[in-house]
Amino acid sequence: MLTQGYAVFRPNPRGSFGQGESFTRANVKDFGHGDLRDILKGVDRVVLTEPVDGARVGITGHSYGGYMTMFAVTQTSRFKAAIAGAGIANWQSYYGQNKIDQWMLPYFGRNVYADPAVYARSSPITFIQNVKTPTLILVGERDAECPAPQSYEFWHALKTLGVPNQLVVYADEGHHFRDPAHVLDRVQREVGWFDHYLKGIATAPLR
């Protein structure tokens, strides 16, 4: 992205490591909400202090970043384009689909069957009708950490609502892409998506 003329901001929002225990626990039972406030505050700071056009800001991420991308576009119209890699659209269905579900308990407090409401509160699908942001969705066919059905669910909702979107499922790929051809394809799609929606460049759609 840097070589294509984009400024890149990589925030470290609450819930992550490296800033002490209270920082790591700051989004317990508030997953997505406080994190997004941190990200938006960081974006505001960048726009204020750096030569960045605040009217042409995109958001992208993979895994947790893919989830935050999906959640962000349901909460704000700040971003003019989005790219969600291996995201999570619905924490309630995700709980029964993934193979690493135990990590969720410290953040949500209880399992989904005991407290479905706290999972719904942090699920992008709960707020899906708010989305207006053109969104590119990328996922590996065999992803066990953020299974492809999560991306399908988000894509289906955007398609139903008439929001510009594209879903690409990479054959035989897991959570991290390994095939060099797929890595190249992903990068080309990401740059092309932002070029089209942030720069207004007419790009030929990749298939």
Side-chain angles (χ1 to χ4, degrees), residues 23 28 41 87 90 93 96 104 107 118 129 131 134 136 138 143 160 164-165 168 172 179 187:
F23 183 78
V28 170
K41 185 180 293 185
N90 185 340
S93 59
M104 302 163 71
Y107 287 102
V118 72
Q129 293 197 66
V131 181
L136 172 64
L138 309 171
D143 194 330
T160 300
N165 70 86
V168 183
D172 293 323
D179 186 327
V187 171

Side-chain angles (χ1 to χ4, degrees), residues 2-3 12 41 92 95 99 118 126 128 130 132 140 155 158 165-166 175 182 185 187 204:
L2 290 172
T3 65
N12 184 37
K41 185 180 293 185
Q92 292 173 303
Y95 197 93
K99 295 183 178 180
V118 72
T126 301
I128 196 66
N130 297 332
K132 306 296 182 185
W155 163 78
L158 297 190
N165 70 86
Q166 185 179 35
H175 193 56
H182 290 162
D185 182 83
V187 171

Side-chain angles (χ1 to χ4, degrees), residues 1-12:
M1 289 299 177
L2 290 172
T3 65
Q4 302 303 308
Y6 291 97
V8 178
F9 170 58
R10 302 186 67 181
N12 184 37

Side-chain angles (χ1 to χ4, degrees), residues 52-53 61-62 85 111 118 129 135 150 162 180 183 185-186:
V52 171
D53 184 350
H62 187 87
N111 67 54
V118 72
Q129 293 197 66
T135 304
Q150 291 294 309
V183 173
D185 182 83
R186 182 188 66 193

Side-chain angles (χ1 to χ4, degrees), residues 62-77:
H62 187 87
S63 193
Y64 166 75
Y67 157 68
M68 285 305 303
T69 298
M70 289 180 176
F71 193 73
V73 297
T74 73
Q75 303 295 308
T76 178
S77 59

Side-chain angles (χ1 to χ4, degrees), residues 36-118:
L36 181 57
R37 291 194 297 271
D38 292 343
I39 292 169
L40 291 174
K41 185 180 293 185
V43 171
D44 288 342
R45 181 66 177 175
V46 169
V47 171
L48 181 65
T49 61
E50 304 297 332
V52 171
D53 184 350
R56 293 190 295 168
V57 178
I59 184 171
T60 184
H62 187 87
S63 193
Y64 166 75
Y67 157 68
M68 285 305 303
T69 298
M70 289 180 176
F71 193 73
V73 297
T74 73
Q75 303 295 308
T76 178
S77 59
R78 180 69 184 274
F79 303 105
K80 301 308 178 186
I83 304 170
I88 297 169
N90 185 340
W91 287 110
Q92 292 173 303
S93 59
Y94 172 79
Y95 197 93
Q97 293 171 349
N98 77 92
K99 295 183 178 180
I100 56 169
D101 61 331
Q102 293 304 303
W103 74 266
M104 302 163 71
L105 297 179
Y107 287 102
F108 289 92
R110 305 171 72 186
N111 67 54
V112 70
Y113 314 114
D115 190 1
V118 72

